[in-house]
Amino acid sequence: MDLIRIIAAIILPPLGVFLQVGIGKHFWLNILLTLLGYIPGIVHAVWIIAREPQRV
């Protein structure tokens, strides 16, 4: 399932973060980073997916 979230994070970074942690501070931060630059949004999203345990 992490592979699907990473692919989603590359295509649309906030979606990858949303699938990992839901709507919260990381989600809004990722939207801001994605608006400031696509690459920072991707880096943040992949970092969150790799670091955070999945919330069910």
Side-chain angles (χ1 to χ4, degrees):
M1 189 69 174
D2 277 348
L3 181 63
I4 293 171
R5 283 191 288 268
I6 289 175
I7 291 171
I10 292 170
I11 295 171
L12 187 61
L15 177 61
V17 174
F18 174 75
L19 292 174
Q20 184 70 21
V21 296
I23 294 180
K25 63 181 178 180
H26 291 296
F27 175 75
W28 295 112
L29 177 61
N30 191 268
I31 287 180
L32 178 64
L33 287 171
T34 303
L35 290 174
L36 292 175
Y38 190 67
I39 300 299
I42 292 173
V43 170
H44 178 257
V46 171
W47 180 69
I48 291 296
I49 292 168
R51 187 169 185 268
E52 295 283 330
Q54 181 183 5
R55 294 184 184 169
V56 194

